[in-house]
């Protein structure tokens, strides 16, 4: 890939402090999406897909009453670019000639649809939007069926009942089998929410090891995590009176980590800084917290499903800035981020209440239907 992102070491080797956690370690790959111009041959978020020209583009067949906001993905992206330009050049024109032309063209298209009358989105299939394309060469943790070597994830940019979230679709394919590529996929009529329209991002995949959220642990192990003496023996002072600095560049200092005192509690410290990583990732452990653990079971063979992809609203937040890569540390700690240029949200995706959408697949057969969950 074209750039690198490196997760700082954790403030303590948790498996050394709690050897009983070691069997729960899972591999994960942090994707580290960052704004870019991916091609169909790249792994990406929100980028173009290697989609065969002769294959129909996927559409969502559910009802889509929509919000009535009537903003297309093209209009949403145009407004983002315009706001970013105005931030760079506050004295610039409200609309450039090119932006005005695109805006007028989008408005004309919208009026033409109004004049044409039904079918409205509620009565017609909606073209799905690309969310992610992952090549196995970049994300070897993927386990595709047969000779497939690329995973494509799309969603419908409308809320769907009963959980008010986008409907998702997964496609596995072999890149070598794709001849002509679909040049201009169809675009949805509108999007329910700006956060359902991903911005094109390149990826910098990084392999890490994750441990389960404390909610996934046994009662006995959760009780062990609350034993402050075991943490103190490892050099972590939960009372905040002693510093912990594993290296000269560490942001762990003065008994705190990114503004959160260890005294907030051992479980908080474990969940925020040692267990599952925030952000877009493949594999790993679920980021529980919105609900208690809720295992997913395959609708075909009833086996417990495993996490495939986490679609994250943010790469980090105020409680998890320690997971920010070294290369993004200055941005992660800068103050006053605007929503249209937040370095923790390069994809501009936002699901739930700034939550994560996790896709699950059957470990027995990736061809069985997947499922998803907002956390």
């Amino acid at each position: 890939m074209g750039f690198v992102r490196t997760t700082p070491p954790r403030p303590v080797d948790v498996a050394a402090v709690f050897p009983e956690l070691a069997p729960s370690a899972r591999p994960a790959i942090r994707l580290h999406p960052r704004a870019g111009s991916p091609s169909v041959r790249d792994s990406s978020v929100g980028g173009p897909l290697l989609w065969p020209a002769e294959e129909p583009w996927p559409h969502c067949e559910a009802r889509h009453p929509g919000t009535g906001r009537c903003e297309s993905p093209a209009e949403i992206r145009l407004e983002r670019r315009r706001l970013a330009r105005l931030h760079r050049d506050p004295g610039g024109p409200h609309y450039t000639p090119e932006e005005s032309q695109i805006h007028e063209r989008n408005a004309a298209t919208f009026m033409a649809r109004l004049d044409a009358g039904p079918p409205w989105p509620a009565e017609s299939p909606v073209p799905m939007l690309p969310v992610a394309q992952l090549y196995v060469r970049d994300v070897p943790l993927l386990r595709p069926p047969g000779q497939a070597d690329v995973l494509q994830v799309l969603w419908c940019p409308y809320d769907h009942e009963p959980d008010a979230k986008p409907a998702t679709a997964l496609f596995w394919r072999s890149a070598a089998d794709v001849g002509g590529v679909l040049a201009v996929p169809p675009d949805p009529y509108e999007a329910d929410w700006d956060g359902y329209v991903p911005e094109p991002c390149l990826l910098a995949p990084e392999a890490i090891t994750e441990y389960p959220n404390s909610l996934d642990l046994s009662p006995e192990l959760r009780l062990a995590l609350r034993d402050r003496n075991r943490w103190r023996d490892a050099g972590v002072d939960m009372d905040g009176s002693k510093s912990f600095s594993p290296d000269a560049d560490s942001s762990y200092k003065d008994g705190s980590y990114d503004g959160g005192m260890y005294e907030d509690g051992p479980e908080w410290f474990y969940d925020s800084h040692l267990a599952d990583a925030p952000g877009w990732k493949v594999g790993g452990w679920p980021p529980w917290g919105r609900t208690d653990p809720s295992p997913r079971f395959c609708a075909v063979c009833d086996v417990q499903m495993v996490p495939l992809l986490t679609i994250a609203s943010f790469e980090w937040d105020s409680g998890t800035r320690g997971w920010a890569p070294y290369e993004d540390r200055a941005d992660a700690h800068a103050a006053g981020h605007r929503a249209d240029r937040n370095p923790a949200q390069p994809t501009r995706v936002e699901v739930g209440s700034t939550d994560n959408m996790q896709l699950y697949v059957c470990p027995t057969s990736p061809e069985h239907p997947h499922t998803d969950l907002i956390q």
Side-chain angles (χ1 to χ4, degrees):
M1 306 300 285
F3 63 101
V4 173
R5 288 295 183 270
T6 312
T7 300
R10 299 299 81 212
V12 64
D13 181 356
V14 71
V17 182
F18 299 94
E20 55 268 54
L21 268 175
S24 300
R26 279 186 186 175
I29 294 183
R30 301 188 73 188
L31 298 178
H32 298 305
R34 298 296 183 270
S37 300
S39 75
V40 297
R41 298 289 175 179
D42 290 319
S43 293
S44 65
V45 165
L49 302 184
L50 186 74
W51 197 270
E54 70 279 3
E55 185 175 325
W57 188 259
H59 287 63
C60 180
E61 302 287 343
R63 279 186 53 82
H64 304 94
T67 60
R69 64 196 303 268
C70 298
E71 284 191 331
S72 70
E75 290 172 301
I76 291 169
R77 292 188 178 110
L78 173 66
E79 182 63 8
R80 289 172 180 168
R81 292 194 298 272
R82 190 180 72 85
L83 291 175
R85 176 184 60 77
L86 287 174
H87 174 72
R88 294 191 303 269
D89 180 18
H94 196 60
Y95 280 92
T96 65
E98 180 185 10
E99 290 165 352
S100 293
Q101 185 179 28
I102 296 172
H103 181 73
E104 290 168 4
R105 185 167 63 244
N106 289 339
T109 300
F110 171 66
M111 293 305 297
R113 285 172 171 162
L114 283 180
D115 292 340
W120 298 104
E123 289 84 30
S124 60
V126 172
M128 304 189 89
L129 274 177
V131 174
Q133 177 168 265
L134 304 176
Y135 283 86
V136 175
R137 66 170 188 260
D138 301 320
V139 189
L141 198 58
L142 294 171
R143 294 292 178 264
Q147 299 302 308
D149 60 358
V150 60
L151 169 66
Q152 295 169 331
V153 181
L154 301 92
W155 68 19
C156 174
Y158 285 84
D159 280 332
H160 291 71
E161 296 299 337
D163 300 315
K165 60 187 177 185
T168 54
L170 306 184
F171 296 87
W172 294 97
R173 68 175 76 253
S174 171
D177 293 341
V178 179
V181 178
L182 183 64
V184 184
D187 228 11
Y189 173 79
E190 64 177 357
D192 254 358
W193 169 239
D194 290 6
Y196 294 165
V197 181
E199 282 294 303
C201 288
L202 290 165
L203 307 180
E206 177 197 21
I208 63 167
T209 298
E210 286 193 343
Y211 294 93
N213 185 283
S214 63
L215 294 175
D216 259 325
L217 301 177
S218 68
E220 294 78 15
L221 194 42
R222 289 185 69 180
L223 186 62
L225 282 180
R226 298 178 188 136
D227 185 349
R228 292 172 180 259
N229 290 327
R230 290 183 69 171
W231 291 104
R232 290 191 184 103
D233 289 345
V236 181
D237 186 355
M238 288 295 162
D239 296 323
S241 60
K242 183 173 64 178
S243 66
F244 180 88
S245 181
D247 60 64
D249 297 324
S250 176
S251 57
Y252 298 83
K253 56 188 176 181
D254 303 325
S256 67
Y257 181 65
D258 290 303
M261 298 301 293
Y262 293 163
E263 62 192 15
D264 283 346
E267 283 181 282
W268 172 88
F269 175 68
Y270 169 80
D271 283 334
S272 297
H273 307 308
L274 304 176
D276 52 289
W280 289 66
K281 64 186 179 184
V282 168
W285 281 92
W288 302 117
R290 183 65 63 183
T291 70
D292 286 341
S294 176
R296 324 304 283 172
F297 294 93
C298 178
V300 176
C301 63
D302 205 36
V303 70
Q304 185 167 338
M305 305 177 87
V306 296
L308 171 67
L309 174 67
T310 298
I311 298 169
S313 293
F314 289 91
E315 289 297 288
W316 60 80
D317 60 23
S318 60
T320 58
R321 272 197 296 258
W323 288 96
Y326 280 124
E327 298 82 358
D328 296 317
R329 178 166 292 177
D331 283 339
H333 289 268
H337 293 310
R338 288 165 52 102
D340 61 310
R341 58 184 179 90
N342 190 338
Q345 198 183 34
T347 66
R348 304 303 299 275
V349 165
E350 193 167 321
V351 291
S353 298
T354 65
D355 294 318
N356 304 292
M357 173 182 276
Q358 195 152 43
L359 306 185
Y360 291 79
V361 290
C362 174
T364 302
S365 174
E367 295 175 313
H368 289 172
H370 75 286
T371 189
D372 54 49
L373 180 68
I374 295 283
Q375 277 298 306

